[in-house]
């Protein structure tokens, strides 16, 4: 199975996986060189000019890492942070590996190992000192993750009651940053496990549907995270995750594992949705 690198997107399971791997692999390493983008990418976002990242980062040691929402943060001394988001990808190479031909940023460490950051359709690669006032970053940093115990039924109920009644399941779950890091990727198996169609309106779901959606949100994301991300996405080392997505571009047209009906793909709300018409009727 081949997934083009330019289609990869960071969502909660990948963010958690990559930040954990980065914590284990990069903590204590000191940056000795930073290479700016090899080519212009219209939708690669930086804080100022990326050629200024060198003076900010060189000589700094990685202290810790954190994955939140759709961001992977690396923390340095002197209140300096490096973060990537959404369609940005961070890949680790050891000193004996050749660097990729194209990248948006390449960071070399004191032991010769390095990370290369690339950008899919769009994504951010930001380095900054102090506070980053980007609203998506702040929203993500201050949100409660569905993996957290504080994301409980009453929190979810509150989130539902703040959404308008004619909003669909896809719009509820994966838009407006209600749940940062829950995007059009992980959405499909969450709705499949809750037996809810992506087009289903909030006004049509009962208490039992709500409870199943809440349970599925928690357990599906936990499983995806525990297994190192989805098998349609790559980790820090370029490997696919261990979670086999039930609904994805790889399984569409396959029979549903539960009922045998054919998995459907449709364009809906700015992206493809996948569902089983048997298990997830409208
Ligand atoms: Zn089915």
């Amino acid at each position: 199975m081949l997934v083009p690198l330019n289609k990869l997107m960071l969502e909660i399971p990948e963010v958690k996986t990559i930040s954990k791997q980065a914590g284990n692999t990069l903590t204590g390493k000191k940056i000795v060189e930073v290479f700016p983008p090899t080519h212009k990418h219209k939708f690669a976002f930086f804080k100022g000019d990326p050629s200024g990242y060198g003076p900010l980062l060189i000589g700094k040691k990685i202290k810790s890492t954190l994955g939140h929402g759709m961001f992977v943060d690396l923390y340095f001394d002197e209140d300096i942070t490096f973060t990537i988001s959404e369609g940005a990808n961070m890949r680790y190479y050891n000193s004996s590996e050749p660097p990729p031909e194209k990248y948006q940023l390449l960071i070399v460490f004191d032991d010769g190992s390095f990370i290369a950051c690339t950008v899919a359709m769009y994504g951010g690669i930001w380095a900054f000192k102090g506070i980053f006032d980007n609203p998506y970053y702040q929203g993500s940093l201050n949100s409660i993750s569905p993996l957290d115990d504080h994301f409980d039924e009453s929190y979810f109920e509150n989130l539902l009651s703040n959404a308008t009644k004619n909003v669909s399941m896809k719009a509820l779950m994966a838009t407006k940053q209600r749940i940062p890091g829950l995007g059009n990727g992980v959405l499909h198996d969450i709705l499949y496990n809750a037996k809810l169609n992506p087009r289903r309106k909030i006004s049509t779901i009962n208490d039992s549907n709500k409870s199943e959606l809440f349970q599925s949100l928690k357990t599906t994301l936990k499983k995806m995270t525990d297994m190192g991300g989805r098998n349609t996405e790559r980790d820090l080392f370029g490997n696919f995750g261990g979670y086999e997505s039930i609904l994805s571009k790889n399984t569409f047209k396959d029979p549903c594992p539960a009922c045998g009906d054919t998995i459907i793909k449709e364009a809906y709300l700015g992206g493809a949705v996948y569902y089983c018409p048997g298990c997830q009727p409208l």
Side-chain angles (χ1 to χ4, degrees):
M1 177 192 59
L2 278 174
V3 178
L5 271 175
N6 63 357
K7 296 284 187 212
L8 298 175
M9 285 305 252
L10 295 171
E11 293 187 31
I12 292 165
E14 290 71 42
V15 158
K16 290 290 180 193
T17 299
I18 293 170
S19 64
K20 191 173 158 193
Q21 292 173 327
N24 292 336
T25 312
L26 306 178
T27 302
K29 292 192 192 225
K30 196 202 296 188
I31 294 179
V32 293
E33 227 171 337
V34 177
F35 292 93
T38 54
H39 61 290
K40 182 129 182 80
H41 187 311
K42 215 173 154 186
F43 298 106
F45 307 114
F46 296 94
K47 185 124 173 56
D49 186 338
S51 61
Y53 284 15
L56 187 69
L57 297 172
I58 288 171
K60 307 296 189 303
K61 243 185 211 172
I62 297 187
K63 285 196 325 194
S64 59
T65 63
L66 179 71
H68 57 90
M70 61 218 173
F71 294 84
V72 177
D73 288 357
L74 309 181
Y75 299 123
F76 299 83
D77 300 317
E78 296 171 37
D79 205 16
I80 288 166
T81 303
F82 177 82
T83 188
I84 59 164
S85 81
E86 289 190 274
N89 180 263
M90 184 193 291
R91 165 86 197 275
Y92 175 79
Y93 297 83
N94 65 45
S95 58
S96 62
E97 290 179 280
E101 245 173 62
K102 288 179 155 190
Y103 49 80
Q104 287 300 309
L105 202 75
L106 192 135
I107 296 177
V108 186
F109 300 106
D110 49 355
D111 61 357
S113 64
F114 56 95
I115 52 172
C117 298
T118 52
V119 168
M121 289 175 285
Y122 59 93
I125 302 172
W126 292 291
F128 54 93
K129 188 176 171 71
I131 290 168
F132 184 31
D133 60 5
N134 178 297
Y136 293 101
Y137 181 79
Q138 287 301 328
S140 168
L141 199 57
N142 296 309
S143 68
I144 295 176
S145 167
L147 297 172
D148 194 314
D149 287 343
H150 295 294
F151 193 112
D152 56 15
E153 264 182 301
S154 69
Y155 181 89
F156 187 60
E157 183 62 46
N158 194 37
L159 197 137
L160 284 174
S161 59
N162 285 331
T164 51
K165 296 298 160 218
N166 61 352
V167 105
S168 68
M169 287 298 110
K170 173 172 175 177
L172 170 77
M173 302 291 281
T175 66
K176 305 262 185 214
Q177 298 299 308
R178 287 185 188 93
I179 308 172
L182 197 165
N184 199 41
V186 300
L187 170 75
H188 299 112
D189 282 9
I190 292 171
L191 293 181
Y192 174 83
N193 289 331
K195 300 187 170 59
L196 289 168
N197 191 285
R199 295 174 193 268
R200 195 79 184 262
K201 303 282 191 237
I202 296 191
S203 55
T204 71
I205 69 168
N206 59 28
D207 285 349
S208 142
N209 295 141
K210 275 183 199 170
S211 174
E212 276 186 59
L213 180 57
F214 171 74
Q215 291 306 331
S216 171
L217 173 62
K218 300 280 286 188
T219 57
T220 309
L221 282 174
K222 183 170 188 314
K223 190 172 178 194
M224 288 171 167
T225 306
D226 288 349
M227 297 184 82
R230 291 164 288 153
N231 64 341
T232 52
E233 306 295 317
R234 291 179 190 265
D235 66 12
L236 183 68
F237 307 106
N239 301 317
F240 289 112
Y243 174 85
E244 300 244 344
S245 298
I246 306 165
L247 304 182
S248 77
K249 51 189 167 273
N250 302 327
T251 62
F252 124 77
K253 286 185 181 168
D254 285 358
C256 163
C259 75
D261 217 337
T262 303
I263 293 169
I264 280 178
K265 173 187 179 181
E266 283 171 2
Y268 178 55
L269 288 182
V273 286
Y274 302 91
Y275 64 94
C276 167
C279 298
Q280 300 164 274
L282 239 190

